[in-house]
Amino acid sequence: MTSLDDLPIRDDLRGLSPYGAPQKHVRIQLNVNENTHPIPDAVAAGISQAIAVALATVNRYPDREFTELRDSLARYLGHRLTRDNIWAANGSNEILQQFLQAFGGPGRSVLGFRPTYSMHSIIAAGTGTRWIAAERDEEYRISPETAVRAIERENPDVVFFCAPNNPTGTPLPLETIEAAYDATDAMIVVDEAYVEFAPAALPTALTLLPGRPRLVVSRTMSKAFAFAGARVGYLAADPAVTDAMRLVRLPYHLSALTQAAAIAALAHTPEMLAMVDDIKAQRDRLLDELPKLGYPVHESWSNFVLFGGVDDPHALFERLLEDDIIIRDLGIPNHLRVSAGTESETTEFLDALARITAEQAASRSIGRIGA
Ligand SMILES: *Cc1c(COP(=O)(O)O)cnc(C)c1O
């Protein structure tokens, strides 16, 4: 059989592994931070109708500039942004890929702070951009000083922040972004995939955009909007950044069906985001309940919780799978990550974990008696 190594693949891709979150048919899926609430039937009907209209002219290429979608996204974001500030793609992963095609690439580097979203380094590899991993402070935070020190040491062409951070849930102070921006001539990207789950009153990196043409805020409809399967991500930045994206995007990269679906979904923003408060409540339940079971948690402003105190993460992951529950093992020693589900999913996860933890404690004490 032919293996990858037999092919004349790019040398810098040899030995790499693809993104690999397991896709299993499990009843309770709390492993990839999806919104586990389906979108409301009435909204789904409206989106279907919009797609049907788009289908009538699908013999033609779609609007290459997806103007109406950029208008809708600008309206959703507010902050006096207009369509000229907005770029969209098939998921924010594609946004980041196009971004690194334009601002990274061979001979250039991107700095990130580990542990962070695994796709950041994978997209760097795919675009031939050298990935530099810097360390965080206590509790996965990044102070302005820590960010500036890493930037001055490594002198990267691009800096990636993730706010709140995946997989830790950690918030990022705006002061860190401002200090990083001032410390370099590099492009600064803030991945705000989970920002809708942060406290609503707090300012996001969008507030820092005026006067900062090298700052880019990346967003997605995959999480809060419950639109992961539709593949819609976007960025807000200076119009010059969107011009850079035009140089590398494939023409017509956003299908007419995707554009129609996203515009229709954004027209129903309140209904689409209706479950966000409930998801935050379930996250807060996880933050309260996991420590009571002996698993200390890390502060989370997102729709998932990273918890520690796990003797054997792989074994616990597998044991939960036996109960038809999948969560995420990210290779962080003694830790696992779980997404906040619906109320009943979250209850089932917590109940199963309590049961398994009690079983393990019982078998340990039997082990001691036997020894
Ligand atoms: C889930 C996630 C995304 C979303 O990716 P899409 O391609 O938009 O589905 C982006 N960034 C982070 C940090 C994520 O966790």
Side-chain angles (χ1 to χ4, degrees):
M1 260 217 334
T2 306
S3 89
L4 197 51
D5 287 336
D6 301 323
L7 300 175
I9 190 174
R10 269 164 43 192
D11 288 333
D12 60 330
L13 292 181
R14 279 185 197 281
L16 298 188
S17 311
Y19 175 80
Q23 281 201 301
K24 290 184 191 283
H25 291 287
V26 170
R27 199 164 54 83
I28 299 184
Q29 300 181 16
L30 304 175
N31 63 329
V32 286
N33 301 338
E34 291 152 336
N35 186 330
T36 68
H37 299 263
I39 61 177
D41 287 343
V43 178
I47 296 173
S48 300
Q49 234 163 29
I51 292 174
V53 171
L55 263 179
T57 54
V58 86
N59 56 310
R60 302 287 181 186
Y61 280 114
D63 174 9
R64 201 171 55 216
E65 287 287 316
F66 43 98
T67 311
E68 194 181 344
L69 175 57
R70 285 189 293 135
D71 283 341
S72 296
L73 289 167
R75 240 187 332 268
Y76 167 64
L77 290 181
H79 292 85
R80 307 171 136 215
L81 296 164
T82 72
R83 66 167 75 131
D84 296 333
N85 300 106
I86 306 293
W87 189 253
N90 298 284
S92 54
N93 284 312
E94 188 179 59
I95 287 286
L96 297 176
Q97 182 182 52
Q98 290 181 351
F99 179 84
L100 284 185
Q101 284 180 303
F103 292 98
R108 294 193 168 207
S109 63
V110 51
L111 174 77
F113 296 82
R114 77 177 147 211
T116 194
Y117 183 41
S118 61
M119 280 308 298
H120 287 173
S121 53
I122 293 174
I123 294 167
T127 57
T129 314
R130 186 166 61 91
W131 172 253
I132 304 168
E135 304 300 327
R136 293 168 177 263
D137 304 318
E138 284 295 292
E139 268 305 300
Y140 304 121
R141 296 202 181 94
I142 311 171
S143 69
E145 299 73 31
T146 295
V148 168
R149 226 178 306 121
I151 289 167
E152 288 180 346
R153 185 179 65 238
E154 304 291 351
N155 194 23
D157 299 283
V158 176
V159 180
F160 275 0
F161 289 111
C162 190
N165 187 49
N166 179 10
T168 61
T170 322
L172 181 73
L174 293 189
E175 296 76 42
T176 295
I177 301 167
E178 292 178 273
Y181 191 93
D182 292 341
T184 176
D185 294 330
M187 298 297 291
I188 308 282
V189 178
V190 184
D191 182 339
E192 289 194 335
Y194 299 99
V195 78
E196 286 94 345
F197 301 104
L202 292 179
T204 89
L206 293 175
T207 60
L208 299 179
L209 285 174
R212 291 188 181 84
R214 291 179 289 106
L215 179 62
V216 176
V217 181
S218 160
R219 295 278 189 105
T220 182
M221 292 182 72
S222 292
K223 308 287 162 57
F225 264 90
F227 226 45
R231 312 304 303 129
V232 184
Y234 53 101
L235 64 69
D238 189 275
V241 173
T242 63
D243 283 340
M245 303 293 270
R246 284 183 180 86
L247 298 177
V248 296
R249 62 96 181 274
L250 298 174
Y252 319 110
H253 69 288
L254 271 183
S255 87
L257 308 184
T258 303
Q259 293 184 41
I263 292 163
L266 285 158
H268 293 278
T269 295
E271 299 100 298
M272 293 293 280
L273 294 181
M275 299 319 293
V276 165
D277 284 341
D278 186 59
I279 294 164
K280 286 161 72 173
Q282 299 311 315
R283 171 205 61 205
D284 291 343
R285 242 181 107 202
L286 290 166
L287 290 171
D288 287 342
E289 298 297 326
L290 284 165
K292 293 183 196 161
L293 298 176
Y295 301 102
V297 294
H298 297 277
E299 179 182 21
S300 174
W301 285 20
S302 49
N303 66 339
F304 56 84
V305 171
L306 182 72
F307 60 95
V310 185
D311 291 339
D312 185 343
H314 181 69
L316 181 55
F317 171 87
E318 292 289 336
R319 179 64 190 79
L320 283 163
L321 260 190
E322 287 172 20
D323 284 5
D324 234 3
I325 299 171
I326 187 166
I327 65 170
R328 194 71 180 278
D329 178 4
L330 293 137
I332 301 176
N334 303 114
H335 283 72
L336 288 169
R337 190 194 70 193
V338 60
S339 312
T342 61
E343 183 176 6
S344 70
E345 288 169 332
T346 307
T347 300
E348 284 207 48
F349 162 72
L350 286 168
D351 288 352
L353 186 60
R355 213 164 44 236
I356 294 166
T357 306
E359 277 167 23
Q360 288 175 342
S363 76
R364 262 198 303 274
S365 66
I366 290 168
R368 269 200 301 279
I369 293 165

